[in-house]
Amino acid sequence: MPPDRRPIAQLYIWAAESPLNRFPPPVFSPVPNSLAENFAIRAIEAQPLDYARAVFDDTWRVFAWKRHVFPNAQTYDEYVFGYKGTPIPSWDRAHLGKYDSFAAAYVHGNPNTQVVDPFARIIRGYQRYVWLPGTVYGLILLAGLGGIVLAWRRIGGEALLPWTISFALIVIPAATATFDYRYVLAATPFACLAAAIAFSPGTAGDRLVRELAARAHKVPAPPRLRRRARPKDAGTGVLAVACATLHPWSTAEPALN
């Protein structure tokens, strides 16, 4: 099948026609897990460069200014506040005692969401006008990394842990399944925390910011000549004063006789 006609990566796990779903539930039992793991390892070993390119491309999607419908419209719409609740997908259907889906068994009841106005209308307006561009998230991540590099003597300091968590939340999904915007939602607070810690008072980042601010506010002024009262008989001192006034930036004080 041509690459442009192949299903998205996650359908190999979730689609009803996936070979992994030929086994009795639950879906993630030891047998299908081991088969999926074996298949993934052999695919990566056979095409390591293609795998690295796929991971890079999916990770890079995070930093785009605008969000795009990915990996498909059905998945994308699940994270957008709409006008009606999203029904339980067919791949989640199962016969689990009194529950007819994994979602119902998870919540021990009805998993369907309800849209309630006027609150839903407010949330829809919020998501339309208030959002964090991926590029801004990338700048926050980069700021935290800069503070970590400045604190290299302390192995990055306290900012290293939240920064690593944020970066892992966008790379690991791309490396194990596929990119999804829901992971960026969880990664953003950790990136902000890392940037705040990296430039908090007493850190190497804070010292750099203070130094740059001091340089920006320090404007060198031209030195002024201190004038003295000219005596009646200035003699050669008149020539010295005249020469000094031709060089207003000179710091040398003319000698007066």
Side-chain angles (χ1 to χ4, degrees):
M1 181 181 294
D4 57 342
R5 297 180 58 187
R6 294 174 187 171
I8 60 176
Q10 64 184 18
L11 287 185
Y12 289 93
I13 302 174
W14 299 109
E17 59 271 18
S18 171
L20 299 176
N21 290 324
R22 296 175 182 174
F23 300 91
V27 177
F28 300 107
S29 58
V31 173
N33 265 344
S34 62
L35 292 175
E37 179 184 6
N38 180 267
F39 172 78
I41 292 175
R42 288 188 290 114
I44 294 172
E45 291 177 344
Q47 299 174 291
L49 295 181
D50 292 334
Y51 170 72
R53 177 64 184 271
V55 173
F56 176 83
D57 290 344
D58 268 10
T59 304
W60 191 250
R61 296 179 193 274
V62 176
F63 308 110
W65 181 264
K66 293 184 178 181
R67 289 185 297 180
H68 302 280
V69 177
F70 186 89
N72 58 13
Q74 179 182 357
T75 304
Y76 183 87
D77 290 342
E78 289 180 355
Y79 309 120
V80 177
F81 293 100
Y83 294 88
K84 60 181 180 179
T86 304
I88 301 300
S90 59
W91 51 260
D92 193 70
R93 299 292 179 182
H95 299 287
L96 304 172
K98 63 178 180 179
Y99 304 113
D100 60 354
S101 67
F102 291 103
Y106 180 78
V107 301
H108 300 285
N110 182 11
N112 293 308
T113 55
Q114 304 295 326
V115 177
V116 180
D117 286 322
F119 310 105
R121 189 181 302 111
I122 296 173
I123 294 177
R124 285 195 298 268
Y126 169 84
Q127 73 176 2
R128 181 176 182 182
Y129 297 105
V130 182
W131 52 283
L132 178 71
T135 308
V136 177
Y137 165 73
L139 293 175
I140 296 173
L141 202 64
L142 190 62
L145 179 61
I148 291 172
V149 172
L150 291 173
W152 63 274
R153 294 181 182 274
R154 299 177 57 240
I155 317 178
E158 292 81 359
L160 180 61
L161 178 59
W163 190 92
T164 304
I165 294 175
S166 180
F167 189 71
L169 282 171
I170 62 174
V171 175
I172 292 178
T176 57
T178 186
F179 165 76
D180 203 319
Y181 284 110
R182 59 177 171 162
Y183 301 112
V184 186
L185 181 65
T188 300
F190 288 102
C192 295
L193 179 62
I197 294 176
F199 292 91
S200 60
T203 61
D206 174 61
R207 290 191 292 271
L208 176 63
V209 171
R210 290 178 180 272
E211 181 180 347
L212 294 176
R215 292 181 181 180
H217 288 85
K218 186 178 180 181
V219 180
R224 297 181 179 179
L225 287 174
R226 287 178 291 176
R227 298 180 179 275
R228 297 180 181 176
R230 188 179 63 179
K232 294 182 179 179
D233 186 12
T236 58
V238 175
L239 180 60
V241 171
C243 292
T245 56
L246 295 178
H247 304 279
W249 295 89
S250 174
T251 57
E253 182 178 341
L256 300 178
N257 295 331

